[in-house]
Amino acid sequence: NAGVTQTPKFQVLKTGQSMTLQCAQDMNHEYMSWYRQDPGMGLRLIHYSVGAGITDQGEVPNGYNVSRSTTEDFPLRLLSAAPSQTSVYFCASSLGQPSTDTQYFGPGTRLTVL
Amino acid sequence: GDSVTQMEGPVTLSEEAFLTINCTYTATGYPSLFWYVQYPGEGLQLLLKATKADDKGSNKGFEATYRKETTSFHLEKGSVQVSDSAVYFCALLPYGGTSYGKLTFGQGTILTVHP
């Protein structure tokens, strides 16, 4: 198993550009989520999904879109990048509820918006 | 709303020293509590967890006890190693309802262990 994979590892964008961060897992996990990590602030939940076709907003959803067409993939889209979106982004998945099942995190994507 | 507060870092220790990283939380009801560890250049890994009051989570020599009376979940290890150098995050998950996946993280504590 590859676990949770994320691409790209690094990305530099100009303000206003769009891009998609990719996340995939091969563990047949129902639950997937996206976090951003900023210095001194821990991780904050952006969006999450409890299964294919179902998504919902987390703590900081503005400026980001998600979709979940398959169990394996959960891409995160930035429609018009802003410097405030400079961060490290982590995707995570778990078989069931995080209170009972371990969340597995990907290695992260470091995004810089100029 | 829910919140997690960790002791400010960074923490620098010599090998074999005793480690404590404080974590306190604010939440309604009975949240589940977690410690995650992030090694350099990697994603987060679950270190240990506790899902009810007085539970003790343990893994790799680390321990933490869920203390509802003091709303705390302090991380301890009796003898740290250089390989324990990492960032440690305390986190909570609200109990029940539609609270899936809404982990609330502390700000993280950087631990550096010197030989």
Side-chain angles (χ1 to χ4, degrees), chain B residues 19-82:
Chain B
L19 168 71
T20 300
I21 301 178
N22 290 339
C23 171
T24 57
Y25 69 90
T26 302
T28 56
Y30 298 89
S32 296
L33 300 173
F34 305 82
W35 276 101
Y36 282 85
V37 58
Q38 183 179 27
Y39 297 104
E42 299 183 9
L44 278 70
Q45 302 174 24
L46 179 64
L47 182 59
L48 53 84
K49 68 179 182 182
T51 57
K52 61 183 187 294
D54 299 325
D55 266 1
K56 176 185 284 188
S58 61
N59 186 26
K60 300 181 181 179
F62 291 89
E63 294 183 340
T65 301
Y66 188 164
R67 302 285 189 201
K68 186 159 180 63
E69 63 276 13
T70 54
T71 62
S72 65
F73 193 55
H74 304 322
L75 182 68
E76 296 182 337
K77 186 175 186 182
S79 177
V80 294
Q81 306 300 313
V82 172

Side-chain angles (χ1 to χ4, degrees), chain A residues 31-33 35 37 40 42-43 45 48 50 90 97-100 102-103 105-107, chain B residues 32 34 36 38 41-44 46 49 51 89 93 98 100-103 105-107:
Chain A
Y31 295 81
M32 297 185 74
S33 51
Y35 295 86
Q37 182 181 27
L43 276 75
L45 183 65
Y48 65 96
V50 300
F90 289 100
Q97 284 277 357
S99 58
T100 54
T102 300
Q103 281 206 79
F105 283 79
Chain B
S32 296
F34 305 82
Y36 282 85
Q38 183 179 27
E42 299 183 9
L44 278 70
L46 179 64
K49 68 179 182 182
T51 57
F89 293 93
L93 184 74
T98 56
Y100 158 68
K102 295 181 181 177
L103 280 168
F105 285 85
Q107 72 271 35

Side-chain angles (χ1 to χ4, degrees), chain A residues 13 16-21 46 63-65 75-82 85-86 89 111 113:
Chain A
L13 293 178
Q17 287 185 315
S18 63
M19 79 158 296
T20 300
L21 308 184
I46 304 172
Y64 308 95
N65 283 351
L76 178 71
R77 297 184 187 85
L78 285 71
L79 298 179
S80 179
Q85 294 178 303
T86 294
Y89 292 85
L111 175 68
V113 182

